[in-house]
Amino acid sequence: MNRFIAVVTAGFLATGVAQAQVTEDDLKNDQSITTQIVTNGMGRHLQRYSPLDTLNKDNVQNLVPAWAFSLGGEKQRGQETQPLIYDGVMYITGSYSRLYAIDLATGKEIWQYDARLPEGILPCCDVVNRGGAIYGDKIFFGTLDARIVALDLKTGDVAWRKKIADYKAGYSYTAAPLIVNGLVITGNSGGEFGVVGEVQARDADTGDLVWTRPVIEGHMGTLNGEDSTMTGTLNATWPGDMWKTGGGATWLGGSYDIETDTLVFGAGNPAPWNSHLRDAGTPTEGNTGDNLYAASRIGIDPATGDIKWHYQTTPREGWDYDGVNEVVAYTDREGNKRYATADRNGFFYVLNREDGAFVSATPFVKDITWAEGIDDTGRPIFVEDNRPGNPSDAVDGKKGDVVFASPGFLGGKNWMPMAFSQNTGNFYVPSNEWGMDIWNEPISYKKGAAYLGAGFTIKPNYEDHIGSLKAIDPDTGEIKWEYKNDAPLWAGVMTTAGGLVFTGNPEGEIIAFDDETGEKLWSFNTGSGIVGQPVTYELDGEQYVSLISGWGGAVPLWGGEVAKKVNYLNQGGMLWTFKLPRQFASN
């Protein structure tokens, strides 16, 4: 059973009024419809760019609070949601798998849904939720016990609820779903437990499974309840049976490129972290040891779930650099259709949108130790001495050689989404400058237990900053400007046609920057660290900005020496909404 709390406004009880329905056209045009946000990323390409320019560089200093909404209770862990907006209502998710409907004009609660989570859930990196998706008359979101739930937009009643995977084996789900052509498309979480990453598509009306696509080679996909095609080739890049618990969790969700009709999902770290256990031989023996398709970006046919292409950022990954970071479709200054992704491994990649082929890669953090660079084919040039040592080479066989690796396993950029500006043609990337001591240990798989085979301690690389918001020219890889922050950056970024870049920091500030110079133009302290995702929209001719505040996420749990540096920060759970008063709109 799930607990459901609803307070319904009188207007919603009116009879004879047809309920508004979100269509495929609404999803397709979400970026350009400035009165709504019905997709994660403010458009399924994840550009996080708004064409609104009422709020701009000249008047942003006049932005003031309009209302604030408290998530309440004692469940004040990390708040990473992106608000959705439709038909006068804002929808946000909260920690511990909660969802709220809020009156857009007043900030008053309309209804609240709380998933009743079972004992024994195994979330890796805090009990966060990153948002929902809207289609038809429903809103969809995932829960920490690896389920997908469809709720009625107006009432919050459960329309259907389906199991994605077995939470007792370490699976969970924290990402925002993706809707394409009436299908609800989800990934999964749990890479630290030896799960198998997978993408699933369900009928939005019924929740019935249409297709599945595991992302580790050797596993079979399904279509309409029947086996379809195998992912990759069995044992081509994995030794023995290790592919069966190979990781590759698709925990950040995906994007959709309508121009090529392609879903693009990232696959996370291979399991276990100890890469020596996954060493499948040498190319001359017919086995590359790359551990496909972990640490990869994968193009998928949305109708069938078949894999169109893949690009692996970190073959034989051994530092937990993962591979799930968002892939943003854009058109470069010369008219080329490109994808961009900023990887945890510290490189900013540009790919071709037709086939996912490698175009370029440039460093976006300062101290990369694991590779000398990326060669012309897109493969890293490894520094093998900076791979954590093999425990079997140790005298006692218990701990391999310790190495210092940079970036640390939390990445040059982690989950927090970057933004692209159609105004400047640049990307704005929330990054962190840190490293780690890391070593490998023996490990064997046990269902529901951590499956790492590694130990680690995160360390800051510099005394004066960890976080760094960078403006990056994707055509050249040049960093156009940088804003340094004392604490790690863990919040999403948004750009606007008004020449603004918005984000937040753990110190509690929501900040607006000049998109060309990086000048800090406005800020407001929310009282708790920000790890959420900003949005902007129009209501009754005025422009608003909303962002959730509430410190948490992976940094305080896994951050080592960095976690000690930010342990003074207070938790919270408050949605802040700001507006530009009408009298300042023409300034």
Side-chain angles (χ1 to χ4, degrees):
M1 291 292 293
N2 287 273
R3 183 166 58 88
F4 166 69
I5 304 171
V7 179
V8 185
T9 63
F12 290 168
L13 293 175
T15 59
V17 179
Q19 183 166 329
Q21 301 254 339
V22 174
T23 66
E24 176 66 22
D25 279 345
D26 289 321
L27 302 177
K28 175 182 176 181
N29 299 306
D30 197 31
Q31 185 178 68
S32 62
I33 304 174
T34 56
T35 55
Q36 70 170 39
I37 301 169
V38 294
T39 62
N40 176 57
M42 299 167 62
R44 293 179 295 190
H45 46 37
L46 307 187
Q47 289 185 359
R48 299 183 182 274
Y49 169 81
S50 170
L52 284 170
D53 60 3
T54 303
L55 181 67
N56 55 52
K57 299 177 187 181
D58 295 328
N59 58 26
V60 68
Q61 71 272 13
N62 298 308
L63 199 61
V64 295
W67 52 260
F69 175 84
S70 173
L71 273 64
E74 298 178 357
K75 298 178 178 179
Q76 302 285 34
R77 297 283 287 274
Q79 308 297 343
E80 296 185 354
T81 188
Q82 181 211 283
L84 298 175
I85 293 160
Y86 186 68
D87 198 24
V89 182
M90 179 180 289
Y91 301 89
I92 61 168
T93 58
S95 55
Y96 292 100
S97 307
R98 295 173 288 169
L99 196 150
Y100 301 81
I102 304 163
D103 185 281
L104 193 60
T106 66
K108 294 182 178 179
E109 181 177 303
I110 299 169
W111 55 258
Q112 175 182 338
Y113 172 88
D114 289 282
R116 177 164 291 177
L117 299 170
E119 297 291 331
I121 57 172
L122 297 168
C124 151
C125 308
D126 206 358
V127 289
V128 300
N129 190 285
R130 299 187 176 96
I134 299 175
Y135 181 72
D137 59 359
K138 301 178 184 67
I139 183 166
F140 309 86
F141 87 117
T143 64
L144 288 167
D145 58 343
R147 294 181 182 273
I148 179 75
V149 182
L151 304 174
D152 183 278
L153 278 172
K154 294 298 185 184
T155 67
D157 291 330
V158 175
W160 53 259
R161 181 172 52 243
K162 300 291 183 179
K163 177 179 175 181
I164 294 172
D166 180 9
Y167 74 89
K168 294 180 181 178
Y171 288 92
S172 55
Y173 186 60
T174 56
L178 178 64
I179 314 290
V180 177
N181 296 326
L183 297 178
V184 183
I185 299 162
T186 58
N188 60 21
S189 304
E192 276 57 64
F193 296 93
V195 306
V196 173
E198 186 172 80
V199 181
Q200 298 180 351
R202 284 182 166 78
D203 183 284
D205 289 331
T206 65
D208 292 341
L209 203 58
V210 176
W211 55 257
T212 64
R213 174 49 54 193
V215 298
I216 297 298
E217 71 176 28
H219 293 271
M220 184 65 67
T222 65
L223 177 62
N224 298 322
E226 304 288 339
D227 286 351
S228 57
T229 56
M230 179 181 287
T231 300
T233 303
L234 181 63
N235 287 134
T237 66
W238 287 82
D241 287 341
M242 296 205 71
W243 58 276
K244 293 181 179 179
T245 51
T250 49
W251 60 266
L252 195 53
S255 58
Y256 176 60
D257 180 1
I258 196 169
E259 294 185 46
T260 63
D261 191 29
T262 303
L263 304 172
V264 188
F265 271 72
N269 58 280
W273 288 18
N274 182 346
S275 63
H276 301 283
L277 295 175
R278 297 181 271 101
D279 190 349
T282 67
T284 57
E285 295 169 341
N287 192 317
T288 65
D290 285 351
N291 307 136
L292 292 171
Y293 293 114
S296 298
R297 309 306 196 276
I298 303 169
I300 299 174
D301 185 322
T304 65
D306 288 341
I307 293 177
K308 292 183 169 185
W309 53 261
H310 79 275
Y311 174 70
Q312 190 172 42
T313 48
T314 316
R316 197 161 62 95
E317 197 277 308
W319 302 265
D320 191 37
Y321 288 151
D322 223 307
V324 303
N325 285 6
E326 74 280 9
V327 176
V328 180
Y330 73 104
T331 302
D332 70 14
R333 296 179 181 89
E334 296 182 355
N336 299 305
K337 296 182 179 185
R338 302 298 195 205
Y339 293 125
T341 186
D343 199 87
R344 267 164 69 167
N345 69 21
F347 289 93
F348 183 92
Y349 294 86
V350 176
L351 308 177
N352 177 43
R353 274 166 63 186
E354 294 298 327
D355 55 8
F358 173 77
V359 174
S360 66
T362 50
F364 68 93
V365 292
K366 298 181 181 70
D367 301 299
I368 296 176
T369 65
W370 67 277
E372 295 178 2
I374 308 298
D375 69 21
D376 291 341
T377 71
R379 288 186 68 86
I381 305 167
F382 288 106
V383 179
E384 283 297 337
D385 288 345
N386 271 5
R387 181 180 294 274
N390 190 343
S392 66
D393 293 338
V395 174
D396 59 4
K398 293 182 178 179
K399 182 177 179 179
D401 289 341
V402 180
V403 300
F404 178 78
S406 181
F409 77 91
L410 290 176
K413 188 181 90 65
N414 201 278
W415 80 274
M416 55 279 192
M418 64 184 182
F420 172 73
S421 172
Q422 296 179 16
N423 207 42
T424 64
N426 295 327
F427 280 85
Y428 299 85
V429 181
S431 68
N432 290 300
E433 305 282 355
W434 47 19
M436 62 180 172
D437 289 334
I438 183 171
W439 59 92
N440 284 326
E441 303 166 344
I443 190 73
S444 57
Y445 175 77
K446 181 180 178 181
K447 180 180 176 180
Y451 189 44
L452 302 185
F456 44 80
T457 301
I458 292 277
K459 300 179 176 182
N461 284 356
Y462 301 101
E463 292 185 1
D464 66 333
H465 75 289
I466 299 172
S468 169
L469 178 66
K470 297 180 173 78
I472 298 177
D473 183 333
D475 297 345
T476 64
E478 178 187 359
I479 296 174
K480 308 297 286 187
W481 56 259
E482 176 184 13
Y483 174 82
K484 296 179 179 179
N485 196 74
D486 183 54
L489 293 181
W490 211 253
V493 181
M494 174 185 69
T495 63
T496 76
L500 301 172
V501 178
F502 284 88
T503 193
N505 63 24
E507 292 89 340
E509 289 183 295
I510 175 174
I511 308 172
F513 299 92
D514 184 306
D515 63 1
E516 294 178 305
T517 68
E519 180 186 357
K520 186 176 178 179
L521 300 177
W522 171 87
S523 68
F524 179 91
N525 197 295
T526 64
S528 181
I530 297 174
V531 293
Q533 306 170 60
V535 297
T536 189
Y537 55 93
E538 188 176 22
L539 178 66
D540 296 331
E542 294 180 299
Q543 188 172 348
Y544 291 73
V545 175
S546 291
L547 177 62
I548 199 164
S549 170
W551 173 238
V555 173
L557 296 175
W558 295 86
E561 293 181 13
V562 171
K564 297 175 184 177
K565 187 173 182 177
V566 294
N567 63 7
Y568 70 94
L569 296 170
N570 292 321
Q571 290 189 322
M574 185 77 74
L575 175 72
W576 287 91
T577 292
F578 306 85
K579 79 170 183 175
L580 181 69
R582 199 178 303 274
Q583 63 266 32
F584 298 112
S586 59
N587 292 351

